[in-house]
């Protein structure tokens, strides 16, 4: 059974308000789910201490299936939407590809 953490689950933790919980959930969506616990530390404006507290209560139990894209057919915008690629790297990929 897959357990999905909700906004209400996160806001129960001391130091996590609605804005922070939404940031965590939005980042999780961008990643297509967290693949490992350490990705929580990448959430914008999330203090390490709060992330540590969250990880006392929640863990990644199953690695998600990530939707792959064909880099030779993807649009610039699709590649740019990959969390770990910035504009400059995406531009270099497209210059090399073309």
């Amino acid at each position: 059974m897959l357990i999905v953490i909700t906004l209400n689950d996160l806001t129960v933790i001391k130091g996590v308000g609605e804005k922070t919980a939404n940031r965590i959930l939005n980042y999780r969506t961008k990643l297509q789910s967290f693949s490992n616990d350490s990705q929580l530390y990448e959430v914008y404006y999330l203090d390490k201490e709060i992330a540590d507290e969250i990880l006392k209560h929640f863990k990644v139990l199953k690695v998600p299936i990530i939707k792959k894209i064909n880099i030779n057919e993807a649009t610039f915008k699709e590649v740019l939407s990959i969390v770990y690629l910035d504009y400059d790297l995406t531009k270099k990929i497209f210059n090399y590809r073309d």
Side-chain angles (χ1 to χ4, degrees):
M1 179 171 91
L2 178 65
I3 300 170
V4 179
I5 306 306
T6 66
L7 184 124
N8 291 335
D9 296 327
L10 289 169
T11 55
V12 170
I13 297 170
K14 185 179 185 229
V16 179
E18 193 172 318
K19 284 175 85 172
T20 301
N22 273 318
R23 250 189 271 115
I24 293 167
L25 297 177
N26 289 337
Y27 191 64
R28 180 184 68 184
T29 300
K30 247 184 149 172
L31 291 173
Q32 299 179 44
S33 195
F34 289 115
S35 296
N36 59 63
D37 294 339
S38 65
Q39 287 178 313
L40 184 62
Y41 295 100
E42 299 169 9
V43 174
Y44 189 67
Y45 278 121
L46 182 64
D47 293 334
K48 181 188 179 311
E49 294 77 21
I50 294 174
D52 291 341
E53 188 62 32
I54 293 169
L55 290 174
K56 289 179 185 176
H57 301 276
F58 303 108
K59 299 282 182 203
V60 173
L61 300 176
K62 184 178 177 188
V63 177
I65 297 171
I66 305 295
K67 182 182 137 205
K68 296 179 182 180
I69 63 170
N70 183 333
I71 196 76
N72 294 313
E73 296 175 359
T75 65
F76 189 87
K77 191 173 181 179
E78 288 172 321
V79 176
L80 185 59
S81 72
I82 298 170
V83 173
Y84 298 111
L85 299 182
D86 63 9
Y87 181 85
D88 290 333
L89 185 54
T90 302
K91 195 170 178 180
K92 288 177 185 176
I93 290 168
F94 271 75
N95 286 339
Y96 181 79
R97 183 182 86 171
D98 295 339

